[in-house]
Amino acid sequence: MTTAIAPLGPQAISMALPPTVTRALKAIGPWAGMRTFELPDTLPAGLDELLAAATGELAAMSAPTPPEAVIQFMETFATRRGFTLPSSEVLAMDALVIADAVPADLFPKACEALWSTFAYRRLPEAPDFSRAIEPHLTPRRRAQAQIQTLWQKLALRAQLGAVRKTPCV
């Protein structure tokens, strides 16, 4: 049983992704839902380069937030709300987890959302940061999944083609 990855709609694509990724998603649209053996023998020239560039941009967009930035935000947040900070070890561990979960370019958005809407009488935790940026993260994850899936199908197709061309002895 195969799980199909829902294609991104045009609004979601343009909302959060760079132009190269958007072009790649539009280019692979006709093949996104196809099974490996249904893919055509030849694909448009330049598709490999476009997919490689889009993959590189998505990887760059996944760069983690520096833990120091998380600690600075948590200290400022605690001061503003009158919370007591946890021990330095606990704060450092929280910062590492949050830094790994939140891409650097989305960290300011997460901070802004938490600063303006966080209503609990505690410091925000990793799931709070993740929820704050989920609308921005979902299109990235879907795009990465669609592109990676097509890469894998093309690689498998190439392997199968090589096996078919191997003479039987």
Side-chain angles (χ1 to χ4, degrees), residues 107-156:
F107 185 69
K109 288 185 184 298
C111 292
E112 180 183 333
L114 291 170
W115 192 269
S116 62
T117 63
F118 194 71
Y120 298 102
R121 296 280 311 150
R122 61 171 173 77
L123 286 174
E125 298 171 351
D128 301 314
F129 280 85
S130 295
R131 272 191 299 278
I133 59 167
E134 190 60 34
H136 302 282
L137 217 46
T138 299
R140 292 181 186 190
R141 288 179 178 156
R142 267 200 206 145
Q144 182 68 43
Q146 285 179 326
I147 292 169
Q148 189 63 37
T149 299
L150 187 61
W151 269 116
Q152 291 172 346
K153 287 178 183 180
L154 292 173
L156 180 59

mmCIF file of all heavy atoms in Angstrom, residues 107-156:
data_model
loop_
_atom_site.group_PDB
_atom_site.id
_atom_site.type_symbol
_atom_site.label_atom_id
_atom_site.label_comp_id
_atom_site.label_asym_id
_atom_site.label_seq_id
_atom_site.Cartn_x
_atom_site.Cartn_y
_atom_site.Cartn_z
ATOM 1 N N PHE A 107 12.405 31.503 13.373
ATOM 2 C CA PHE A 107 12.491 31.778 14.809
ATOM 3 C C PHE A 107 11.884 33.137 15.180
ATOM 4 O O PHE A 107 11.119 33.216 16.143
ATOM 5 C CB PHE A 107 13.936 31.660 15.302
ATOM 6 C CG PHE A 107 14.067 31.825 16.789
ATOM 7 C CD1 PHE A 107 13.561 30.864 17.651
ATOM 8 C CD2 PHE A 107 14.687 32.940 17.328
ATOM 9 C CE1 PHE A 107 13.667 31.024 19.029
ATOM 10 C CE2 PHE A 107 14.799 33.101 18.694
ATOM 11 C CZ PHE A 107 14.291 32.137 19.550
ATOM 12 N N PRO A 108 12.155 34.212 14.429
ATOM 13 C CA PRO A 108 11.510 35.490 14.780
ATOM 14 C C PRO A 108 9.983 35.424 14.720
ATOM 15 O O PRO A 108 9.303 36.023 15.553
ATOM 16 C CB PRO A 108 12.060 36.477 13.749
ATOM 17 C CG PRO A 108 13.359 35.884 13.317
ATOM 18 C CD PRO A 108 13.156 34.395 13.371
ATOM 19 N N LYS A 109 9.440 34.687 13.760
ATOM 20 C CA LYS A 109 7.978 34.522 13.670
ATOM 21 C C LYS A 109 7.445 33.786 14.896
ATOM 22 O O LYS A 109 6.402 34.134 15.430
ATOM 23 C CB LYS A 109 7.591 33.775 12.406
ATOM 24 C CG LYS A 109 7.741 34.568 11.145
ATOM 25 C CD LYS A 109 7.208 33.776 9.964
ATOM 26 C CE LYS A 109 7.421 34.485 8.659
ATOM 27 N NZ LYS A 109 6.765 35.744 8.524
ATOM 28 N N ALA A 110 8.159 32.742 15.321
ATOM 29 C CA ALA A 110 7.747 31.990 16.502
ATOM 30 C C ALA A 110 7.778 32.885 17.737
ATOM 31 O O ALA A 110 6.841 32.879 18.538
ATOM 32 C CB ALA A 110 8.648 30.776 16.703
ATOM 33 N N CYS A 111 8.843 33.650 17.862
ATOM 34 C CA CYS A 111 8.965 34.558 19.018
ATOM 35 C C CYS A 111 7.847 35.591 19.027
ATOM 36 O O CYS A 111 7.237 35.856 20.074
ATOM 37 C CB CYS A 111 10.323 35.261 19.013
ATOM 38 S SG CYS A 111 11.700 34.155 19.320
ATOM 39 N N GLU A 112 7.570 36.162 17.872
ATOM 40 C CA GLU A 112 6.503 37.166 17.771
ATOM 41 C C GLU A 112 5.152 36.567 18.159
ATOM 42 O O GLU A 112 4.385 37.160 18.916
ATOM 43 C CB GLU A 112 6.448 37.711 16.349
ATOM 44 C CG GLU A 112 5.369 38.749 16.136
ATOM 45 C CD GLU A 112 5.310 39.209 14.692
ATOM 46 O OE1 GLU A 112 6.337 39.151 13.989
ATOM 47 O OE2 GLU A 112 4.219 39.629 14.270
ATOM 48 N N ALA A 113 4.874 35.365 17.648
ATOM 49 C CA ALA A 113 3.598 34.710 17.956
ATOM 50 C C ALA A 113 3.494 34.385 19.442
ATOM 51 O O ALA A 113 2.456 34.628 20.070
ATOM 52 C CB ALA A 113 3.444 33.444 17.125
ATOM 53 N N LEU A 114 4.569 33.872 20.025
ATOM 54 C CA LEU A 114 4.536 33.532 21.446
ATOM 55 C C LEU A 114 4.438 34.789 22.308
ATOM 56 O O LEU A 114 3.713 34.817 23.306
ATOM 57 C CB LEU A 114 5.771 32.710 21.828
ATOM 58 C CG LEU A 114 5.799 31.304 21.234
ATOM 59 C CD1 LEU A 114 7.154 30.665 21.463
ATOM 60 C CD2 LEU A 114 4.683 30.451 21.819
ATOM 61 N N TRP A 115 5.157 35.821 21.937
ATOM 62 C CA TRP A 115 5.142 37.075 22.695
ATOM 63 C C TRP A 115 3.731 37.664 22.725
ATOM 64 O O TRP A 115 3.283 38.165 23.751
ATOM 65 C CB TRP A 115 6.119 38.067 22.077
ATOM 66 C CG TRP A 115 6.381 39.263 22.931
ATOM 67 C CD1 TRP A 115 5.708 40.449 22.925
ATOM 68 C CD2 TRP A 115 7.376 39.381 23.935
ATOM 69 N NE1 TRP A 115 6.231 41.298 23.844
ATOM 70 C CE2 TRP A 115 7.271 40.680 24.492
ATOM 71 C CE3 TRP A 115 8.369 38.536 24.419
ATOM 72 C CZ2 TRP A 115 8.096 41.141 25.501
ATOM 73 C CZ3 TRP A 115 9.198 39.000 25.421
ATOM 74 C CH2 TRP A 115 9.057 40.285 25.958
ATOM 75 N N SER A 116 3.036 37.576 21.611
ATOM 76 C CA SER A 116 1.733 38.236 21.525
ATOM 77 C C SER A 116 0.553 37.358 21.938
ATOM 78 O O SER A 116 -0.487 37.893 22.324
ATOM 79 C CB SER A 116 1.494 38.759 20.107
ATOM 80 O OG SER A 116 1.478 37.687 19.193
ATOM 81 N N THR A 117 0.693 36.041 21.893
ATOM 82 C CA THR A 117 -0.488 35.207 22.153
ATOM 83 C C THR A 117 -0.325 34.163 23.244
ATOM 84 O O THR A 117 -1.316 33.554 23.637
ATOM 85 C CB THR A 117 -0.913 34.463 20.874
ATOM 86 O OG1 THR A 117 0.141 33.574 20.473
ATOM 87 C CG2 THR A 117 -1.238 35.433 19.751
ATOM 88 N N PHE A 118 0.874 33.927 23.730
ATOM 89 C CA PHE A 118 1.084 32.856 24.698
ATOM 90 C C PHE A 118 0.406 33.224 26.019
ATOM 91 O O PHE A 118 0.704 34.264 26.612
ATOM 92 C CB PHE A 118 2.580 32.604 24.913
ATOM 93 C CG PHE A 118 2.884 31.321 25.621
ATOM 94 C CD1 PHE A 118 2.686 30.111 24.979
ATOM 95 C CD2 PHE A 118 3.370 31.316 26.912
ATOM 96 C CE1 PHE A 118 2.972 28.919 25.616
ATOM 97 C CE2 PHE A 118 3.665 30.133 27.556
ATOM 98 C CZ PHE A 118 3.461 28.927 26.909
ATOM 99 N N ALA A 119 -0.507 32.379 26.490
ATOM 100 C CA ALA A 119 -1.336 32.732 27.643
ATOM 101 C C ALA A 119 -1.071 31.894 28.888
ATOM 102 O O ALA A 119 -1.751 32.087 29.898
ATOM 103 C CB ALA A 119 -2.807 32.604 27.253
ATOM 104 N N TYR A 120 -0.123 30.995 28.852
ATOM 105 C CA TYR A 120 0.122 30.131 30.004
ATOM 106 C C TYR A 120 1.060 30.801 31.003
ATOM 107 O O TYR A 120 1.871 31.637 30.646
ATOM 108 C CB TYR A 120 0.700 28.783 29.551
ATOM 109 C CG TYR A 120 -0.234 28.028 28.654
ATOM 110 C CD1 TYR A 120 -0.042 28.012 27.282
ATOM 111 C CD2 TYR A 120 -1.323 27.346 29.174
ATOM 112 C CE1 TYR A 120 -0.906 27.325 26.441
ATOM 113 C CE2 TYR A 120 -2.199 26.654 28.348
ATOM 114 C CZ TYR A 120 -1.977 26.657 26.989
ATOM 115 O OH TYR A 120 -2.833 25.980 26.164
ATOM 116 N N ARG A 121 0.974 30.380 32.267
ATOM 117 C CA ARG A 121 1.830 30.939 33.318
ATOM 118 C C ARG A 121 3.094 30.087 33.458
ATOM 119 O O ARG A 121 3.398 29.551 34.519
ATOM 120 C CB ARG A 121 1.076 30.990 34.658
ATOM 121 C CG ARG A 121 -0.117 31.890 34.687
ATOM 122 C CD ARG A 121 0.191 33.345 34.875
ATOM 123 N NE ARG A 121 1.111 33.560 35.987
ATOM 124 C CZ ARG A 121 1.960 34.557 36.042
ATOM 125 N NH1 ARG A 121 2.027 35.439 35.069
ATOM 126 N NH2 ARG A 121 2.756 34.702 37.074
ATOM 127 N N ARG A 122 3.790 29.947 32.356
ATOM 128 C CA ARG A 122 5.053 29.199 32.319
ATOM 129 C C ARG A 122 5.819 29.662 31.093
ATOM 130 O O ARG A 122 5.283 30.367 30.243
ATOM 131 C CB ARG A 122 4.794 27.695 32.235
ATOM 132 C CG ARG A 122 4.017 27.289 30.988
ATOM 133 C CD ARG A 122 3.960 25.789 30.822
ATOM 134 N NE ARG A 122 3.107 25.363 29.737
ATOM 135 C CZ ARG A 122 3.417 25.406 28.450
ATOM 136 N NH1 ARG A 122 4.589 25.884 28.067
ATOM 137 N NH2 ARG A 122 2.579 24.984 27.532
ATOM 138 N N LEU A 123 7.058 29.239 31.010
ATOM 139 C CA LEU A 123 7.849 29.541 29.812
ATOM 140 C C LEU A 123 7.404 28.651 28.657
ATOM 141 O O LEU A 123 6.987 27.509 28.870
ATOM 142 C CB LEU A 123 9.331 29.300 30.088
ATOM 143 C CG LEU A 123 10.042 30.329 30.958
ATOM 144 C CD1 LEU A 123 11.460 29.880 31.254
ATOM 145 C CD2 LEU A 123 10.041 31.684 30.284
ATOM 146 N N PRO A 124 7.469 29.157 27.433
ATOM 147 C CA PRO A 124 7.129 28.313 26.285
ATOM 148 C C PRO A 124 8.110 27.148 26.160
ATOM 149 O O PRO A 124 9.285 27.263 26.494
ATOM 150 C CB PRO A 124 7.273 29.255 25.084
ATOM 151 C CG PRO A 124 7.372 30.621 25.632
ATOM 152 C CD PRO A 124 7.817 30.516 27.046
ATOM 153 N N GLU A 125 7.592 26.037 25.680
ATOM 154 C CA GLU A 125 8.400 24.835 25.465
ATOM 155 C C GLU A 125 8.457 24.529 23.976
ATOM 156 O O GLU A 125 7.784 25.184 23.179
ATOM 157 C CB GLU A 125 7.793 23.669 26.256
ATOM 158 C CG GLU A 125 7.809 23.943 27.755
ATOM 159 C CD GLU A 125 7.021 22.910 28.550
ATOM 160 O OE1 GLU A 125 6.310 22.076 27.945
ATOM 161 O OE2 GLU A 125 7.115 22.953 29.782
ATOM 162 N N ALA A 126 9.227 23.534 23.609
ATOM 163 C CA ALA A 126 9.418 23.203 22.190
ATOM 164 C C ALA A 126 8.100 23.029 21.422
ATOM 165 O O ALA A 126 7.963 23.577 20.322
ATOM 166 C CB ALA A 126 10.299 21.964 22.057
ATOM 167 N N PRO A 127 7.119 22.311 21.958
ATOM 168 C CA PRO A 127 5.863 22.177 21.196
ATOM 169 C C PRO A 127 5.149 23.518 20.978
ATOM 170 O O PRO A 127 4.488 23.701 19.957
ATOM 171 C CB PRO A 127 5.001 21.242 22.060
ATOM 172 C CG PRO A 127 5.969 20.513 22.921
ATOM 173 C CD PRO A 127 7.114 21.455 23.141
ATOM 174 N N ASP A 128 5.312 24.450 21.906
ATOM 175 C CA ASP A 128 4.699 25.771 21.742
ATOM 176 C C ASP A 128 5.339 26.509 20.569
ATOM 177 O O ASP A 128 4.647 27.154 19.771
ATOM 178 C CB ASP A 128 4.848 26.598 23.029
ATOM 179 C CG ASP A 128 4.213 25.924 24.231
ATOM 180 O OD1 ASP A 128 3.073 25.440 24.108
ATOM 181 O OD2 ASP A 128 4.863 25.882 25.298
ATOM 182 N N PHE A 129 6.649 26.415 20.456
ATOM 183 C CA PHE A 129 7.358 27.038 19.331
ATOM 184 C C PHE A 129 6.933 26.377 18.021
ATOM 185 O O PHE A 129 6.686 27.052 17.029
ATOM 186 C CB PHE A 129 8.878 26.912 19.507
ATOM 187 C CG PHE A 129 9.473 27.927 20.438
ATOM 188 C CD1 PHE A 129 9.499 27.719 21.808
ATOM 189 C CD2 PHE A 129 10.017 29.104 19.944
ATOM 190 C CE1 PHE A 129 10.056 28.646 22.665
ATOM 191 C CE2 PHE A 129 10.582 30.041 20.791
ATOM 192 C CZ PHE A 129 10.599 29.814 22.162
ATOM 193 N N SER A 130 6.842 25.046 18.022
ATOM 194 C CA SER A 130 6.461 24.324 16.809
ATOM 195 C C SER A 130 5.052 24.693 16.356
ATOM 196 O O SER A 130 4.819 24.894 15.161
ATOM 197 C CB SER A 130 6.544 22.812 17.037
ATOM 198 O OG SER A 130 7.886 22.441 17.263
ATOM 199 N N ARG A 131 4.125 24.777 17.294
ATOM 200 C CA ARG A 131 2.750 25.169 16.941
ATOM 201 C C ARG A 131 2.711 26.577 16.363
ATOM 202 O O ARG A 131 1.933 26.870 15.459
ATOM 203 C CB ARG A 131 1.837 25.079 18.154
ATOM 204 C CG ARG A 131 1.209 23.718 18.354
ATOM 205 C CD ARG A 131 0.122 23.742 19.403
ATOM 206 N NE ARG A 131 0.582 24.134 20.723
ATOM 207 C CZ ARG A 131 1.161 23.321 21.601
ATOM 208 N NH1 ARG A 131 1.351 22.055 21.289
ATOM 209 N NH2 ARG A 131 1.547 23.749 22.784
ATOM 210 N N ALA A 132 3.553 27.453 16.873
ATOM 211 C CA ALA A 132 3.556 28.847 16.425
ATOM 212 C C ALA A 132 3.976 28.981 14.958
ATOM 213 O O ALA A 132 3.545 29.913 14.279
ATOM 214 C CB ALA A 132 4.471 29.684 17.316
ATOM 215 N N ILE A 133 4.801 28.070 14.482
ATOM 216 C CA ILE A 133 5.290 28.177 13.100
ATOM 217 C C ILE A 133 4.739 27.102 12.180
ATOM 218 O O ILE A 133 5.103 27.040 11.010
ATOM 219 C CB ILE A 133 6.834 28.150 13.049
ATOM 220 C CG1 ILE A 133 7.370 26.860 13.655
ATOM 221 C CG2 ILE A 133 7.410 29.388 13.703
ATOM 222 C CD1 ILE A 133 8.824 26.595 13.376
ATOM 223 N N GLU A 134 3.848 26.268 12.667
ATOM 224 C CA GLU A 134 3.325 25.154 11.866
ATOM 225 C C GLU A 134 2.779 25.586 10.509
ATOM 226 O O GLU A 134 3.057 24.932 9.496
ATOM 227 C CB GLU A 134 2.259 24.384 12.651
ATOM 228 C CG GLU A 134 1.857 23.095 11.989
ATOM 229 C CD GLU A 134 3.021 22.128 11.810
ATOM 230 O OE1 GLU A 134 3.921 22.082 12.660
ATOM 231 O OE2 GLU A 134 3.036 21.422 10.777
ATOM 232 N N PRO A 135 2.026 26.690 10.402
ATOM 233 C CA PRO A 135 1.534 27.091 9.073
ATOM 234 C C PRO A 135 2.652 27.395 8.073
ATOM 235 O O PRO A 135 2.465 27.284 6.872
ATOM 236 C CB PRO A 135 0.715 28.360 9.349
ATOM 237 C CG PRO A 135 0.388 28.310 10.798
ATOM 238 C CD PRO A 135 1.503 27.556 11.454
ATOM 239 N N HIS A 136 3.816 27.772 8.569
ATOM 240 C CA HIS A 136 4.952 28.074 7.692
ATOM 241 C C HIS A 136 5.788 26.826 7.414
ATOM 242 O O HIS A 136 6.444 26.730 6.377
ATOM 243 C CB HIS A 136 5.839 29.154 8.322
ATOM 244 C CG HIS A 136 5.099 30.416 8.611
ATOM 245 N ND1 HIS A 136 4.783 31.329 7.628
ATOM 246 C CD2 HIS A 136 4.586 30.902 9.765
ATOM 247 C CE1 HIS A 136 4.122 32.336 8.164
ATOM 248 N NE2 HIS A 136 3.979 32.096 9.456
ATOM 249 N N LEU A 137 5.776 25.897 8.353
ATOM 250 C CA LEU A 137 6.602 24.702 8.236
ATOM 251 C C LEU A 137 5.956 23.623 7.362
ATOM 252 O O LEU A 137 6.646 22.900 6.640
ATOM 253 C CB LEU A 137 6.859 24.147 9.638
ATOM 254 C CG LEU A 137 8.195 23.539 9.953
ATOM 255 C CD1 LEU A 137 9.343 24.395 9.449
ATOM 256 C CD2 LEU A 137 8.341 23.297 11.437
ATOM 257 N N THR A 138 4.645 23.524 7.396
ATOM 258 C CA THR A 138 3.943 22.484 6.644
ATOM 259 C C THR A 138 4.225 22.542 5.146
ATOM 260 O O THR A 138 4.550 21.499 4.546
ATOM 261 C CB THR A 138 2.429 22.537 6.935
ATOM 262 O OG1 THR A 138 2.239 22.301 8.333
ATOM 263 C CG2 THR A 138 1.670 21.500 6.138
ATOM 264 N N PRO A 139 4.139 23.701 4.489
ATOM 265 C CA PRO A 139 4.454 23.724 3.045
ATOM 266 C C PRO A 139 5.888 23.294 2.752
ATOM 267 O O PRO A 139 6.147 22.625 1.747
ATOM 268 C CB PRO A 139 4.228 25.180 2.642
ATOM 269 C CG PRO A 139 3.319 25.727 3.678
ATOM 270 C CD PRO A 139 3.645 24.992 4.940
ATOM 271 N N ARG A 140 6.811 23.638 3.616
ATOM 272 C CA ARG A 140 8.209 23.229 3.415
ATOM 273 C C ARG A 140 8.341 21.712 3.492
ATOM 274 O O ARG A 140 9.026 21.098 2.677
ATOM 275 C CB ARG A 140 9.118 23.853 4.481
ATOM 276 C CG ARG A 140 9.266 25.327 4.361
ATOM 277 C CD ARG A 140 10.192 25.834 5.441
ATOM 278 N NE ARG A 140 10.240 27.283 5.427
ATOM 279 C CZ ARG A 140 11.102 27.987 6.128
ATOM 280 N NH1 ARG A 140 11.987 27.388 6.900
ATOM 281 N NH2 ARG A 140 11.094 29.303 6.071
ATOM 282 N N ARG A 141 7.720 21.140 4.496
ATOM 283 C CA ARG A 141 7.817 19.686 4.673
ATOM 284 C C ARG A 141 7.176 18.946 3.508
ATOM 285 O O ARG A 141 7.701 17.944 3.034
ATOM 286 C CB ARG A 141 7.171 19.278 5.998
ATOM 287 C CG ARG A 141 7.986 19.692 7.192
ATOM 288 C CD ARG A 141 7.310 19.299 8.477
ATOM 289 N NE ARG A 141 8.129 19.657 9.622
ATOM 290 C CZ ARG A 141 7.651 19.861 10.831
ATOM 291 N NH1 ARG A 141 6.366 19.731 11.064
ATOM 292 N NH2 ARG A 141 8.459 20.197 11.815
ATOM 293 N N ARG A 142 6.032 19.435 3.061
ATOM 294 C CA ARG A 142 5.359 18.799 1.921
ATOM 295 C C ARG A 142 6.194 18.910 0.661
ATOM 296 O O ARG A 142 6.305 17.960 -0.108
ATOM 297 C CB ARG A 142 4.001 19.442 1.690
ATOM 298 C CG ARG A 142 2.914 18.736 2.401
ATOM 299 C CD ARG A 142 1.579 19.068 1.789
ATOM 300 N NE ARG A 142 0.608 18.896 2.837
ATOM 301 C CZ ARG A 142 -0.453 19.625 2.992
ATOM 302 N NH1 ARG A 142 -0.719 20.603 2.158
ATOM 303 N NH2 ARG A 142 -1.281 19.394 3.979
ATOM 304 N N ALA A 143 6.758 20.090 0.431
ATOM 305 C CA ALA A 143 7.598 20.290 -0.754
ATOM 306 C C ALA A 143 8.795 19.349 -0.713
ATOM 307 O O ALA A 143 9.131 18.708 -1.717
ATOM 308 C CB ALA A 143 8.052 21.746 -0.841
ATOM 309 N N GLN A 144 9.432 19.268 0.443
ATOM 310 C CA GLN A 144 10.588 18.377 0.594
ATOM 311 C C GLN A 144 10.178 16.936 0.330
ATOM 312 O O GLN A 144 10.875 16.201 -0.368
ATOM 313 C CB GLN A 144 11.181 18.508 2.002
ATOM 314 C CG GLN A 144 12.409 17.653 2.233
ATOM 315 C CD GLN A 144 13.597 18.122 1.432
ATOM 316 O OE1 GLN A 144 13.854 19.312 1.349
ATOM 317 N NE2 GLN A 144 14.330 17.207 0.838
ATOM 318 N N ALA A 145 9.031 16.534 0.842
ATOM 319 C CA ALA A 145 8.564 15.164 0.646
ATOM 320 C C ALA A 145 8.268 14.884 -0.826
ATOM 321 O O ALA A 145 8.642 13.823 -1.342
ATOM 322 C CB ALA A 145 7.318 14.916 1.494
ATOM 323 N N GLN A 146 7.620 15.817 -1.507
ATOM 324 C CA GLN A 146 7.299 15.606 -2.921
ATOM 325 C C GLN A 146 8.561 15.506 -3.770
ATOM 326 O O GLN A 146 8.676 14.623 -4.626
ATOM 327 C CB GLN A 146 6.422 16.741 -3.442
ATOM 328 C CG GLN A 146 4.995 16.653 -2.958
ATOM 329 C CD GLN A 146 4.157 17.809 -3.463
ATOM 330 O OE1 GLN A 146 4.643 18.924 -3.604
ATOM 331 N NE2 GLN A 146 2.897 17.538 -3.726
ATOM 332 N N ILE A 147 9.489 16.407 -3.535
ATOM 333 C CA ILE A 147 10.724 16.408 -4.323
ATOM 334 C C ILE A 147 11.553 15.162 -4.023
ATOM 335 O O ILE A 147 12.050 14.494 -4.932
ATOM 336 C CB ILE A 147 11.523 17.710 -4.082
ATOM 337 C CG1 ILE A 147 10.748 18.893 -4.683
ATOM 338 C CG2 ILE A 147 12.929 17.611 -4.654
ATOM 339 C CD1 ILE A 147 11.282 20.256 -4.296
ATOM 340 N N GLN A 148 11.697 14.827 -2.751
ATOM 341 C CA GLN A 148 12.477 13.650 -2.365
ATOM 342 C C GLN A 148 11.851 12.365 -2.909
ATOM 343 O O GLN A 148 12.546 11.467 -3.373
ATOM 344 C CB GLN A 148 12.608 13.577 -0.844
ATOM 345 C CG GLN A 148 13.567 12.525 -0.352
ATOM 346 C CD GLN A 148 14.988 12.780 -0.806
ATOM 347 O OE1 GLN A 148 15.440 13.908 -0.884
ATOM 348 N NE2 GLN A 148 15.710 11.729 -1.121
ATOM 349 N N THR A 149 10.534 12.297 -2.871
ATOM 350 C CA THR A 149 9.850 11.111 -3.382
ATOM 351 C C THR A 149 10.109 10.934 -4.873
ATOM 352 O O THR A 149 10.395 9.828 -5.337
ATOM 353 C CB THR A 149 8.330 11.205 -3.107
ATOM 354 O OG1 THR A 149 8.133 11.265 -1.694
ATOM 355 C CG2 THR A 149 7.590 10.010 -3.666
ATOM 356 N N LEU A 150 10.030 12.026 -5.630
ATOM 357 C CA LEU A 150 10.304 11.912 -7.067
ATOM 358 C C LEU A 150 11.759 11.527 -7.323
ATOM 359 O O LEU A 150 12.041 10.695 -8.188
ATOM 360 C CB LEU A 150 9.950 13.194 -7.816
ATOM 361 C CG LEU A 150 10.059 13.066 -9.336
ATOM 362 C CD1 LEU A 150 9.116 11.995 -9.883
ATOM 363 C CD2 LEU A 150 9.803 14.388 -10.015
ATOM 364 N N TRP A 151 12.698 12.111 -6.546
ATOM 365 C CA TRP A 151 14.113 11.732 -6.673
ATOM 366 C C TRP A 151 14.268 10.221 -6.496
ATOM 367 O O TRP A 151 14.965 9.551 -7.248
ATOM 368 C CB TRP A 151 14.968 12.423 -5.611
ATOM 369 C CG TRP A 151 15.562 13.737 -5.954
ATOM 370 C CD1 TRP A 151 15.285 14.928 -5.360
ATOM 371 C CD2 TRP A 151 16.556 14.029 -6.940
ATOM 372 N NE1 TRP A 151 16.035 15.932 -5.915
ATOM 373 C CE2 TRP A 151 16.831 15.405 -6.888
ATOM 374 C CE3 TRP A 151 17.244 13.264 -7.870
ATOM 375 C CZ2 TRP A 151 17.748 16.018 -7.714
ATOM 376 C CZ3 TRP A 151 18.167 13.882 -8.692
ATOM 377 C CH2 TRP A 151 18.402 15.241 -8.604
ATOM 378 N N GLN A 152 13.630 9.693 -5.454
ATOM 379 C CA GLN A 152 13.755 8.263 -5.173
ATOM 380 C C GLN A 152 13.123 7.413 -6.275
ATOM 381 O O GLN A 152 13.667 6.378 -6.660
ATOM 382 C CB GLN A 152 13.134 7.943 -3.811
ATOM 383 C CG GLN A 152 13.938 8.509 -2.665
ATOM 384 C CD GLN A 152 13.230 8.376 -1.326
ATOM 385 O OE1 GLN A 152 12.054 8.093 -1.252
ATOM 386 N NE2 GLN A 152 13.982 8.603 -0.247
ATOM 387 N N LYS A 153 11.984 7.858 -6.791
ATOM 388 C CA LYS A 153 11.348 7.125 -7.887
ATOM 389 C C LYS A 153 12.234 7.128 -9.126
ATOM 390 O O LYS A 153 12.373 6.112 -9.811
ATOM 391 C CB LYS A 153 9.989 7.744 -8.221
ATOM 392 C CG LYS A 153 8.924 7.473 -7.192
ATOM 393 C CD LYS A 153 7.636 8.175 -7.583
ATOM 394 C CE LYS A 153 6.553 7.985 -6.551
ATOM 395 N NZ LYS A 153 5.305 8.682 -6.935
ATOM 396 N N LEU A 154 12.837 8.280 -9.425
ATOM 397 C CA LEU A 154 13.716 8.364 -10.595
ATOM 398 C C LEU A 154 14.948 7.482 -10.429
ATOM 399 O O LEU A 154 15.391 6.827 -11.378
ATOM 400 C CB LEU A 154 14.119 9.820 -10.855
ATOM 401 C CG LEU A 154 12.989 10.750 -11.307
ATOM 402 C CD1 LEU A 154 13.478 12.192 -11.357
ATOM 403 C CD2 LEU A 154 12.408 10.309 -12.632
ATOM 404 N N ALA A 155 15.499 7.451 -9.212
ATOM 405 C CA ALA A 155 16.666 6.600 -8.951
ATOM 406 C C ALA A 155 16.291 5.129 -9.087
ATOM 407 O O ALA A 155 17.036 4.344 -9.699
ATOM 408 C CB ALA A 155 17.217 6.876 -7.555
ATOM 409 N N LEU A 156 15.150 4.746 -8.563
ATOM 410 C CA LEU A 156 14.699 3.360 -8.684
ATOM 411 C C LEU A 156 14.428 3.006 -10.152
ATOM 412 O O LEU A 156 14.796 1.940 -10.625
ATOM 413 C CB LEU A 156 13.438 3.126 -7.842
ATOM 414 C CG LEU A 156 12.852 1.722 -7.885
ATOM 415 C CD1 LEU A 156 13.871 0.688 -7.409
ATOM 416 C CD2 LEU A 156 11.587 1.664 -7.046
#
